[in-house]
PDB file of all heavy atoms in Angstrom:
ATOM      1  N   TRP A 183       0.813  -1.214   0.004  1.00 98.00           N
ATOM      2  CA  TRP A 183       0.007  -0.008  -0.004  1.00 98.00           C
ATOM      3  C   TRP A 183       0.871   1.252   0.002  1.00 98.00           C
ATOM      4  O   TRP A 183       0.309   2.372  -0.074  1.00 98.00           O
ATOM      5  CB  TRP A 183      -0.922   0.017   1.210  1.00 98.00           C
ATOM      6  CG  TRP A 183      -1.913  -1.144   1.293  1.00 98.00           C
ATOM      7  CD1 TRP A 183      -2.145  -2.062   0.347  1.00 98.00           C
ATOM      8  CD2 TRP A 183      -2.741  -1.464   2.394  1.00 98.00           C
ATOM      9  NE1 TRP A 183      -3.071  -2.973   0.764  1.00 98.00           N
ATOM     10  CE2 TRP A 183      -3.446  -2.607   2.011  1.00 98.00           C
ATOM     11  CE3 TRP A 183      -2.941  -0.871   3.658  1.00 98.00           C
ATOM     12  CZ2 TRP A 183      -4.402  -3.207   2.886  1.00 98.00           C
ATOM     13  CZ3 TRP A 183      -3.874  -1.472   4.508  1.00 98.00           C
ATOM     14  CH2 TRP A 183      -4.590  -2.631   4.114  1.00 98.00           C
ATOM     15  N   LYS A 184       2.135   1.107   0.104  1.00 96.00           N
ATOM     16  CA  LYS A 184       3.055   2.269   0.200  1.00 96.00           C
ATOM     17  C   LYS A 184       3.510   2.802  -1.160  1.00 96.00           C
ATOM     18  O   LYS A 184       4.178   3.812  -1.268  1.00 96.00           O
ATOM     19  CB  LYS A 184       4.266   1.905   1.050  1.00 96.00           C
ATOM     20  CG  LYS A 184       3.941   1.709   2.531  1.00 96.00           C
ATOM     21  CD  LYS A 184       5.207   1.419   3.323  1.00 96.00           C
ATOM     22  CE  LYS A 184       4.920   1.258   4.810  1.00 96.00           C
ATOM     23  NZ  LYS A 184       6.137   1.013   5.577  1.00 96.00           N
ATOM     24  N   ARG A 185       3.123   2.127  -2.240  1.00 95.00           N
ATOM     25  CA  ARG A 185       3.547   2.532  -3.577  1.00 95.00           C
ATOM     26  C   ARG A 185       2.896   3.857  -3.900  1.00 95.00           C
ATOM     27  O   ARG A 185       1.716   4.100  -3.581  1.00 95.00           O
ATOM     28  CB  ARG A 185       3.138   1.490  -4.593  1.00 95.00           C
ATOM     29  CG  ARG A 185       3.943   0.215  -4.471  1.00 95.00           C
ATOM     30  CD  ARG A 185       3.430  -0.894  -5.385  1.00 95.00           C
ATOM     31  NE  ARG A 185       2.053  -1.222  -5.074  1.00 95.00           N
ATOM     32  CZ  ARG A 185       1.427  -2.303  -5.618  1.00 95.00           C
ATOM     33  NH1 ARG A 185       2.075  -3.087  -6.460  1.00 95.00           N
ATOM     34  NH2 ARG A 185       0.204  -2.578  -5.288  1.00 95.00           N
ATOM     35  N   PRO A 186       3.627   4.751  -4.528  1.00 94.00           N
ATOM     36  CA  PRO A 186       3.071   6.113  -4.859  1.00 94.00           C
ATOM     37  C   PRO A 186       1.768   5.995  -5.628  1.00 94.00           C
ATOM     38  O   PRO A 186       1.659   5.243  -6.586  1.00 94.00           O
ATOM     39  CB  PRO A 186       4.179   6.751  -5.722  1.00 94.00           C
ATOM     40  CG  PRO A 186       5.460   6.024  -5.276  1.00 94.00           C
ATOM     41  CD  PRO A 186       5.043   4.622  -4.938  1.00 94.00           C
ATOM     42  N   GLY A 187       0.806   6.748  -5.176  1.00 95.00           N
ATOM     43  CA  GLY A 187      -0.491   6.798  -5.865  1.00 95.00           C
ATOM     44  C   GLY A 187      -1.446   5.710  -5.498  1.00 95.00           C
ATOM     45  O   GLY A 187      -2.604   5.716  -5.952  1.00 95.00           O
ATOM     46  N   ASP A 188      -1.076   4.761  -4.635  1.00 97.00           N
ATOM     47  CA  ASP A 188      -1.983   3.684  -4.189  1.00 97.00           C
ATOM     48  C   ASP A 188      -2.970   4.260  -3.191  1.00 97.00           C
ATOM     49  O   ASP A 188      -2.552   4.688  -2.116  1.00 97.00           O
ATOM     50  CB  ASP A 188      -1.197   2.531  -3.589  1.00 97.00           C
ATOM     51  CG  ASP A 188      -2.050   1.255  -3.419  1.00 97.00           C
ATOM     52  OD1 ASP A 188      -3.248   1.384  -3.096  1.00 97.00           O
ATOM     53  OD2 ASP A 188      -1.532   0.154  -3.624  1.00 97.00           O
ATOM     54  N   PRO A 189      -4.248   4.294  -3.489  1.00 98.00           N
ATOM     55  CA  PRO A 189      -5.230   4.897  -2.551  1.00 98.00           C
ATOM     56  C   PRO A 189      -5.355   4.114  -1.275  1.00 98.00           C
ATOM     57  O   PRO A 189      -5.840   4.684  -0.257  1.00 98.00           O
ATOM     58  CB  PRO A 189      -6.540   4.872  -3.339  1.00 98.00           C
ATOM     59  CG  PRO A 189      -6.381   3.766  -4.316  1.00 98.00           C
ATOM     60  CD  PRO A 189      -4.913   3.773  -4.695  1.00 98.00           C
ATOM     61  N   ARG A 190      -4.864   2.879  -1.240  1.00 98.00           N
ATOM     62  CA  ARG A 190      -4.961   2.095   0.003  1.00 98.00           C
ATOM     63  C   ARG A 190      -3.971   2.607   1.050  1.00 98.00           C
ATOM     64  O   ARG A 190      -4.041   2.250   2.222  1.00 98.00           O
ATOM     65  CB  ARG A 190      -4.686   0.608  -0.277  1.00 98.00           C
ATOM     66  CG  ARG A 190      -5.761   0.021  -1.191  1.00 98.00           C
ATOM     67  CD  ARG A 190      -5.384  -1.405  -1.611  1.00 98.00           C
ATOM     68  NE  ARG A 190      -4.119  -1.419  -2.372  1.00 98.00           N
ATOM     69  CZ  ARG A 190      -3.610  -2.539  -2.878  1.00 98.00           C
ATOM     70  NH1 ARG A 190      -4.207  -3.696  -2.729  1.00 98.00           N
ATOM     71  NH2 ARG A 190      -2.451  -2.465  -3.521  1.00 98.00           N
ATOM     72  N   GLY A 191      -3.075   3.464   0.621  1.00 98.00           N
ATOM     73  CA  GLY A 191      -2.114   4.089   1.573  1.00 98.00           C
ATOM     74  C   GLY A 191      -2.795   4.980   2.600  1.00 98.00           C
ATOM     75  O   GLY A 191      -2.168   5.329   3.620  1.00 98.00           O
ATOM     76  N   ALA A 192      -4.047   5.279   2.372  1.00 98.00           N
ATOM     77  CA  ALA A 192      -4.797   6.139   3.349  1.00 98.00           C
ATOM     78  C   ALA A 192      -5.426   5.310   4.450  1.00 98.00           C
ATOM     79  O   ALA A 192      -5.978   5.866   5.411  1.00 98.00           O
ATOM     80  CB  ALA A 192      -5.888   6.914   2.642  1.00 98.00           C
ATOM     81  N   ILE A 193      -5.368   3.950   4.339  1.00 98.00           N
ATOM     82  CA  ILE A 193      -5.957   3.127   5.389  1.00 98.00           C
ATOM     83  C   ILE A 193      -5.077   3.175   6.652  1.00 98.00           C
ATOM     84  O   ILE A 193      -3.879   2.946   6.595  1.00 98.00           O
ATOM     85  CB  ILE A 193      -6.068   1.655   4.878  1.00 98.00           C
ATOM     86  CG1 ILE A 193      -6.977   1.613   3.639  1.00 98.00           C
ATOM     87  CG2 ILE A 193      -6.607   0.733   5.977  1.00 98.00           C
ATOM     88  CD1 ILE A 193      -6.960   0.214   2.965  1.00 98.00           C
ATOM     89  N   THR A 194      -5.734   3.408   7.779  1.00 98.00           N
ATOM     90  CA  THR A 194      -5.025   3.416   9.076  1.00 98.00           C
ATOM     91  C   THR A 194      -5.336   2.186   9.911  1.00 98.00           C
ATOM     92  O   THR A 194      -6.307   1.445   9.604  1.00 98.00           O
ATOM     93  CB  THR A 194      -5.397   4.688   9.879  1.00 98.00           C
ATOM     94  OG1 THR A 194      -6.814   4.579  10.227  1.00 98.00           O
ATOM     95  CG2 THR A 194      -5.151   5.969   9.059  1.00 98.00           C
ATOM     96  N   LEU A 195      -4.607   2.035  11.009  1.00 98.00           N
ATOM     97  CA  LEU A 195      -4.960   0.960  11.946  1.00 98.00           C
ATOM     98  C   LEU A 195      -6.363   1.138  12.501  1.00 98.00           C
ATOM     99  O   LEU A 195      -7.110   0.195  12.688  1.00 98.00           O
ATOM    100  CB  LEU A 195      -3.964   0.937  13.105  1.00 98.00           C
ATOM    101  CG  LEU A 195      -2.557   0.352  12.823  1.00 98.00           C
ATOM    102  CD1 LEU A 195      -1.746   0.383  14.114  1.00 98.00           C
ATOM    103  CD2 LEU A 195      -2.622  -1.071  12.305  1.00 98.00           C
ATOM    104  N   ARG A 196      -6.733   2.396  12.750  1.00 98.00           N
ATOM    105  CA  ARG A 196      -8.052   2.663  13.295  1.00 98.00           C
ATOM    106  C   ARG A 196      -9.135   2.164  12.276  1.00 98.00           C
ATOM    107  O   ARG A 196     -10.128   1.560  12.678  1.00 98.00           O
ATOM    108  CB  ARG A 196      -8.264   4.179  13.517  1.00 98.00           C
ATOM    109  CG  ARG A 196      -9.570   4.498  14.206  1.00 98.00           C
ATOM    110  CD  ARG A 196      -9.769   6.049  14.283  1.00 98.00           C
ATOM    111  NE  ARG A 196      -8.781   6.670  15.075  1.00 98.00           N
ATOM    112  CZ  ARG A 196      -8.878   6.866  16.421  1.00 98.00           C
ATOM    113  NH1 ARG A 196      -9.962   6.434  17.052  1.00 98.00           N
ATOM    114  NH2 ARG A 196      -7.899   7.449  17.081  1.00 98.00           N
ATOM    115  N   HIS A 197      -8.941   2.424  11.005  1.00 98.00           N
ATOM    116  CA  HIS A 197      -9.864   1.951  10.004  1.00 98.00           C
ATOM    117  C   HIS A 197      -9.964   0.416  10.057  1.00 98.00           C
ATOM    118  O   HIS A 197     -11.075  -0.139   9.983  1.00 98.00           O
ATOM    119  CB  HIS A 197      -9.438   2.377   8.591  1.00 98.00           C
ATOM    120  CG  HIS A 197      -9.477   3.829   8.349  1.00 98.00           C
ATOM    121  ND1 HIS A 197      -8.556   4.490   7.546  1.00 98.00           N
ATOM    122  CD2 HIS A 197     -10.315   4.800   8.841  1.00 98.00           C
ATOM    123  CE1 HIS A 197      -8.844   5.813   7.522  1.00 98.00           C
ATOM    124  NE2 HIS A 197      -9.888   6.015   8.310  1.00 98.00           N
ATOM    125  N   LEU A 198      -8.835  -0.236  10.133  1.00 98.00           N
ATOM    126  CA  LEU A 198      -8.823  -1.707  10.174  1.00 98.00           C
ATOM    127  C   LEU A 198      -9.539  -2.249  11.391  1.00 98.00           C
ATOM    128  O   LEU A 198     -10.305  -3.193  11.330  1.00 98.00           O
ATOM    129  CB  LEU A 198      -7.379  -2.226  10.086  1.00 98.00           C
ATOM    130  CG  LEU A 198      -6.608  -1.959   8.790  1.00 98.00           C
ATOM    131  CD1 LEU A 198      -5.130  -2.270   8.935  1.00 98.00           C
ATOM    132  CD2 LEU A 198      -7.173  -2.795   7.617  1.00 98.00           C
ATOM    133  N   LEU A 199      -9.262  -1.663  12.556  1.00 98.00           N
ATOM    134  CA  LEU A 199      -9.844  -2.139  13.798  1.00 98.00           C
ATOM    135  C   LEU A 199     -11.366  -1.858  13.844  1.00 98.00           C
ATOM    136  O   LEU A 199     -12.092  -2.579  14.503  1.00 98.00           O
ATOM    137  CB  LEU A 199      -9.133  -1.491  14.977  1.00 98.00           C
ATOM    138  CG  LEU A 199      -7.732  -1.981  15.223  1.00 98.00           C
ATOM    139  CD1 LEU A 199      -6.939  -1.010  16.053  1.00 98.00           C
ATOM    140  CD2 LEU A 199      -7.777  -3.358  15.938  1.00 98.00           C
ATOM    141  N   HIS A 200     -11.813  -0.832  13.133  1.00 98.00           N
ATOM    142  CA  HIS A 200     -13.208  -0.516  13.056  1.00 98.00           C
ATOM    143  C   HIS A 200     -13.908  -1.224  11.900  1.00 98.00           C
ATOM    144  O   HIS A 200     -15.093  -0.972  11.653  1.00 98.00           O
ATOM    145  CB  HIS A 200     -13.419   0.989  12.933  1.00 98.00           C
ATOM    146  CG  HIS A 200     -13.246   1.734  14.214  1.00 98.00           C
ATOM    147  ND1 HIS A 200     -13.063   3.130  14.241  1.00 98.00           N
ATOM    148  CD2 HIS A 200     -13.261   1.324  15.500  1.00 98.00           C
ATOM    149  CE1 HIS A 200     -12.953   3.494  15.517  1.00 98.00           C
ATOM    150  NE2 HIS A 200     -13.055   2.445  16.270  1.00 98.00           N
ATOM    151  N   MET A 201     -13.205  -2.111  11.224  1.00 98.00           N
ATOM    152  CA  MET A 201     -13.782  -2.803  10.028  1.00 98.00           C
ATOM    153  C   MET A 201     -14.276  -1.765   9.003  1.00 98.00           C
ATOM    154  O   MET A 201     -15.355  -1.911   8.444  1.00 98.00           O
ATOM    155  CB  MET A 201     -14.905  -3.737  10.454  1.00 98.00           C
ATOM    156  CG  MET A 201     -14.524  -4.891  11.354  1.00 98.00           C
ATOM    157  SD  MET A 201     -13.433  -6.029  10.455  1.00 98.00           S
ATOM    158  CE  MET A 201     -13.216  -7.321  11.727  1.00 98.00           C
ATOM    159  N   ALA A 202     -13.465  -0.765   8.751  1.00 98.00           N
ATOM    160  CA  ALA A 202     -13.845   0.264   7.831  1.00 98.00           C
ATOM    161  C   ALA A 202     -12.692   0.587   6.876  1.00 98.00           C
ATOM    162  O   ALA A 202     -12.490   1.755   6.528  1.00 98.00           O
ATOM    163  CB  ALA A 202     -14.261   1.550   8.603  1.00 98.00           C
ATOM    164  N   SER A 203     -11.976  -0.449   6.437  1.00 98.00           N
ATOM    165  CA  SER A 203     -10.811  -0.213   5.576  1.00 98.00           C
ATOM    166  C   SER A 203     -11.226   0.293   4.196  1.00 98.00           C
ATOM    167  O   SER A 203     -10.464   0.986   3.531  1.00 98.00           O
ATOM    168  CB  SER A 203     -10.003  -1.479   5.402  1.00 98.00           C
ATOM    169  OG  SER A 203     -10.741  -2.463   4.666  1.00 98.00           O
ATOM    170  N   GLY A 204     -12.418  -0.084   3.760  1.00 98.00           N
ATOM    171  CA  GLY A 204     -12.862   0.228   2.402  1.00 98.00           C
ATOM    172  C   GLY A 204     -12.427  -0.806   1.414  1.00 98.00           C
ATOM    173  O   GLY A 204     -12.767  -0.707   0.204  1.00 98.00           O
ATOM    174  N   LEU A 205     -11.708  -1.842   1.806  1.00 98.00           N
ATOM    175  CA  LEU A 205     -11.245  -2.874   0.879  1.00 98.00           C
ATOM    176  C   LEU A 205     -12.437  -3.710   0.385  1.00 98.00           C
ATOM    177  O   LEU A 205     -13.376  -3.968   1.147  1.00 98.00           O
ATOM    178  CB  LEU A 205     -10.235  -3.808   1.581  1.00 98.00           C
ATOM    179  CG  LEU A 205      -8.892  -3.223   1.925  1.00 98.00           C
ATOM    180  CD1 LEU A 205      -8.081  -4.189   2.736  1.00 98.00           C
ATOM    181  CD2 LEU A 205      -8.116  -2.798   0.692  1.00 98.00           C
ATOM    182  N   GLN A 206     -12.351  -4.104  -0.855  1.00 97.00           N
ATOM    183  CA  GLN A 206     -13.406  -4.929  -1.452  1.00 97.00           C
ATOM    184  C   GLN A 206     -13.485  -6.273  -0.637  1.00 97.00           C
ATOM    185  O   GLN A 206     -12.435  -6.926  -0.432  1.00 97.00           O
ATOM    186  CB  GLN A 206     -13.077  -5.235  -2.884  1.00 97.00           C
ATOM    187  CG  GLN A 206     -14.067  -6.106  -3.611  1.00 97.00           C
ATOM    188  CD  GLN A 206     -13.686  -6.257  -5.079  1.00 97.00           C
ATOM    189  OE1 GLN A 206     -13.781  -5.307  -5.847  1.00 97.00           O
ATOM    190  NE2 GLN A 206     -13.200  -7.435  -5.425  1.00 97.00           N
TER     191      GLN A 206
END
């Protein structure tokens, strides 16, 4: 997710713990 321009780079631990990553 750290590659330049990858929108998944905005996902935080808080998002993951809240089940709100946005991943398909």
Side-chain angles (χ1 to χ4, degrees):
W183 300 351
K184 291 183 177 180
R185 292 174 297 191
D188 193 323
R190 296 173 299 181
I193 299 172
T194 66
L195 286 181
R196 186 186 296 272
H197 294 146
L198 293 168
L199 288 159
H200 282 163
M201 296 293 184
S203 69
L205 292 173
Q206 180 177 290

